Amino acid sequence: MTITLLLFAYALAVAGLAPRLLAGAWTRRSPRLTLMLWQAAGGSGLLAVALAGISCVAAPGRLAACLEALVGSDAAAGVLTVVAGLLLPVLLLARLAFVAAAMTRIQRAERRRHIQLLSLVGHHDSLLDATVVAAATASAYCVPGTDRVVLTDTALRMLEPSELRAVLAHERAHLAGRHHLVVSWAAVVARAFPGVPVFRGLHEATVDLVELLADDRAVRGESRNSLAWAIAQLGTGDGPAVSLAAGGGRVLARVERLLDPPRRLPVATRAGGAGAAVAVLAVPVLLAGLPAVVAAGLAACPLLFG
Amino acid sequence: MREPIERGTGCVRGFGDLEAAIMDRLWSWQQPATVRELLADLNKDRDLAYTTVMTVLDNLHRKGWLTRDLDRRAYRYSPVSTRQAYSAELMREALDSSGDNATTLLRFVDAMTDAEAEAVRKALRKHRGSGRR
């Protein structure tokens, strides 16, 4: 029972603290570490809640006593505890699986249709190794799960050669890094449990951070200036007003980061951060396993644990 | 006896290129065409079998890109929609960063608000040595 409460408290603490701790300028200095910490926070929250259910089955304790008093029968209370405890992780997983399946289905259908449309109205430019589409809007994107980078002819006209190379390098970094997988996972969690701030934060941060990862990768071979200019060119292309202000200053932050690159976090800090990510995930497992460990220890070595 | 799918070279990449070539012709002709008419035009610069073109047209019809009407004893194929309509659909998907398909594609940059775009231009101007090259 105590363990169950501890696990719930831990989930609440992680949910409350993560968005506050994983903010600020340092998060943009090492996007990979920040991404790792966000994933650990989201994952450990889910894990703690699931394990809380299991732990209340494993050690009913006071909860069973409460239920017994309510129901008036020992056996019925026991059954209720087990059902309630198991229902929690099962529902959690079922909800995630359901949303993931639905999203995967939609994505697959949309990508298939998109690729068909591309093959009919676009043409493959073998020099760029990209698909070019005639459109009034300047735009560039990639189709995850394929090796396809798409540019509109308007974007081609607007970009200087070095900017074009930077755009292509950025998109290829998305594809090579399989960034869509981590973005999709974050989207699934956010959609499965809407209104939970830590999951919304996880999703928004992931979308933002993979752009920084792709930028960092692109500027290994291309100039920072060119990439910054390309962002300005393609972000302000006067297409249909699709914006709905989703960026919220993120594009500006991206450009500023390219023009004035912050120093990477020191190796020791990054190593410590990675350790923290592992620890955040390990804590709920250890909490849930504690009674078993103690019990096993008592049985095996009464002197030490006694 | 089975007919060879495609004589000559260039069969490995599947029918994608051929589908595009056929749609191209139907859009520019602006009138329904038979397999034989398309074959004659396509074979000006390649060497396709009748059955290949027939198969691809049948595929395009099945996928919903073409409609067909029986004219005497041959089907006449015509595009369901214009090239412009498909381009518009393509770009709608490419630019829509909200809703269900937000994760379907990864965009280089989302459209900015006017205020943010102005701030970005200011940052670029302000930064020393960041002239556009």
Side-chain angles (χ1 to χ4, degrees):
Chain A
M1 178 62 192
T2 319
I3 299 291
T4 310
L5 284 181
L6 274 176
L7 282 165
F8 274 125
Y10 179 78
L12 278 177
V14 167
L17 286 176
R20 245 166 281 182
L21 293 179
L22 298 176
W26 71 270
T27 57
R28 307 178 78 78
R29 290 175 62 183
S30 231
R32 191 172 297 279
L33 173 65
T34 313
L35 189 59
M36 206 193 292
L37 285 166
W38 266 112
Q39 298 298 329
S44 73
L46 290 171
L47 194 61
V49 172
L51 286 172
I54 290 170
S55 77
C56 116
V57 175
R62 227 174 307 164
L63 183 65
C66 273
L67 281 170
E68 197 184 322
L70 274 174
V71 184
S73 134
D74 190 7
V79 170
L80 268 179
T81 320
V82 170
V83 168
L86 284 182
L87 218 52
L88 196 57
V90 166
L91 283 179
L92 210 66
L93 278 179
R95 175 79 185 140
L96 282 175
F98 175 77
V99 173
M103 196 182 282
T104 311
R105 202 173 55 239
I106 291 172
Q107 276 183 354
R108 233 183 245 160
E110 280 181 349
R111 282 188 194 134
R112 199 182 306 129
R113 169 93 180 161
H114 199 87
I115 289 167
Q116 282 180 349
L117 283 169
L118 280 175
S119 71
L120 292 188
V121 300
H123 74 269
H124 185 258
D125 185 316
S126 49
L127 278 178
L128 300 172
D129 192 19
T131 303
V132 178
V133 184
T137 315
S139 171
Y141 59 92
C142 61
V143 187
T146 71
D147 56 359
R148 236 180 233 268
V149 176
V150 184
L151 290 154
T152 63
D153 58 346
T154 307
L156 275 182
R157 277 197 300 276
M158 280 173 70
L159 296 171
E160 301 284 332
S162 65
E163 294 162 3
L164 178 58
R165 283 201 308 273
V167 170
L168 291 172
H170 174 101
E171 292 307 316
R172 298 222 171 91
H174 276 321
L175 295 177
R178 302 183 147 271
H179 291 165
H180 67 288
L181 293 180
V182 67
V183 171
S184 295
W185 158 248
V188 164
V189 178
R191 189 167 303 174
F193 309 105
V196 182
V198 67
F199 295 147
R200 200 177 55 229
L202 167 68
H203 184 211
E204 283 171 5
T206 304
V207 169
D208 190 23
L209 290 164
V210 296
E211 294 306 326
L212 303 189
L213 281 177
D215 281 351
D216 288 354
R217 183 69 212 248
V219 299
R220 281 196 217 162
E222 306 298 334
S223 114
R224 292 181 165 273
N225 263 341
S226 301
L227 187 54
W229 274 99
I231 292 169
Q233 292 295 306
L234 298 190
T236 52
D238 48 3
V242 284
S243 54
L244 65 114
R250 284 204 215 121
V251 181
L252 177 61
R254 220 175 119 194
V255 168
E256 283 173 337
R257 184 172 177 274
L258 284 167
L259 295 175
D260 256 322
R263 263 188 310 147
R264 281 189 86 186
L265 292 172
V267 180
T269 314
R270 272 182 282 146
V278 174
V280 164
L281 278 170
V283 165
V285 178
L286 289 177
L287 273 179
L290 200 61
V293 171
V294 171
L298 273 176
C301 185
L303 278 179
L304 194 66
F305 283 85
Chain B
M1 203 184 84
R2 274 171 52 174
E3 293 254 353
I5 296 289
E6 182 170 351
R7 295 192 300 268
T9 55
C11 158
V12 268
R13 286 207 57 196
F15 291 137
D17 292 345
L18 195 49
E19 287 185 350
I22 286 171
M23 292 302 287
D24 249 359
R25 279 166 176 76
L26 288 171
W27 274 323
S28 59
W29 290 350
Q30 296 184 340
Q31 57 178 15
T34 61
V35 178
R36 203 162 287 285
E37 286 163 355
L38 281 160
L39 181 70
D41 198 64
L42 286 162
N43 273 352
K44 281 176 188 165
D45 51 23
R46 47 187 125 183
D47 187 19
L48 301 164
Y50 181 87
T51 46
T52 308
V53 177
M54 192 178 71
T55 307
V56 174
L57 280 165
D58 199 49
N59 285 345
L60 286 167
H61 173 253
R62 199 161 28 81
K63 287 184 196 166
W65 305 102
L66 296 178
T67 58
R68 64 184 183 193
D69 290 301
L70 204 54
D71 178 23
R72 267 164 280 173
R73 290 180 56 206
Y75 280 119
R76 286 194 165 274
Y77 291 88
S78 50
V80 168
S81 197
T82 63
R83 184 202 296 269
Q84 289 73 18
Y86 287 133
S87 290
E89 183 188 340
L90 193 74
M91 288 328 288
R92 216 168 30 248
E93 284 171 18
L95 297 172
D96 182 8
S97 55
S98 62
D100 276 346
N101 60 358
T103 52
T104 301
L105 308 167
L106 291 175
R107 287 154 207 83
F108 176 65
V109 57
D110 285 330
M112 290 180 273
T113 59
D114 288 346
E116 189 173 10
E118 180 51 43
V120 164
R121 279 194 291 272
K122 216 167 114 189
L124 280 165
R125 277 198 304 269
K126 197 179 70 185
H127 189 77
R128 278 198 326 147
S130 71
R132 199 178 170 203
R133 285 185 288 265

